[in-house]
Amino acid sequence: MKFLSWSIINGGSHISNEVFWARVHNQELPRHIDPIQVLKNKMKGKCQKEAICFLTSAHLEDFSLKIKKERDIETSCLATVGMGNALRVGDRGDHYLRVGTINL
């Protein structure tokens, strides 16, 4: 399938047949830890290196899936959204110390 994502591994425009979602907790990602390395460690033995890979702090069963089909083209969007980082685009986050995730 063709993917367009913000994934930190294999993100952007990418072709793959697998998506890997890994749940993390705040204590796993202190500011000095590289999130890409955390994700690579979670991937070991669980998915192919071509997989689209996401980290999320949301419960993995709490996802939203929308599918739209127009003639012979089908588009799907699957999202995990943690609401713990309650900021909007453009908000200054300098007072906010926790990391949050929104994956599409």
Side-chain angles (χ1 to χ4, degrees):
M1 292 184 283
K2 293 179 183 179
F3 289 88
L4 183 60
S5 75
W6 285 299
S7 171
I8 60 175
I9 295 179
N10 296 328
S13 180
H14 193 76
I15 295 175
S16 182
N17 63 359
E18 186 175 19
V19 175
F20 178 77
W21 240 281
R23 183 163 186 224
V24 292
H25 301 280
N26 289 340
Q27 63 269 24
E28 293 178 85
L29 289 173
R31 291 194 181 268
H32 67 281
I33 297 294
D34 177 10
I36 293 172
Q37 192 56 53
V38 170
L39 183 51
K40 284 181 179 179
N41 290 341
K42 290 184 175 281
M43 290 169 55
K44 286 182 185 171
K46 295 182 181 162
C47 66
Q48 302 170 18
K49 67 178 183 175
E50 296 83 17
I52 310 299
C53 301
F54 294 100
L55 284 176
T56 185
S57 59
H59 293 281
L60 294 176
E61 59 275 357
D62 292 339
F63 65 88
S64 178
L65 175 63
K66 298 294 179 189
I67 300 170
K68 178 73 174 173
K69 188 167 186 175
E70 191 71 33
R71 288 182 243 167
D72 61 341
I73 298 174
E74 183 174 289
T75 302
S76 304
C77 182
L78 189 145
T80 59
V81 180
M83 297 308 291
N85 60 343
L87 297 175
R88 291 174 289 206
V89 172
D91 285 351
R92 289 184 53 92
D94 48 6
H95 67 282
Y96 198 80
L97 299 176
R98 289 182 42 201
V99 176
T101 59
I102 299 175
N103 293 303
L104 300 172

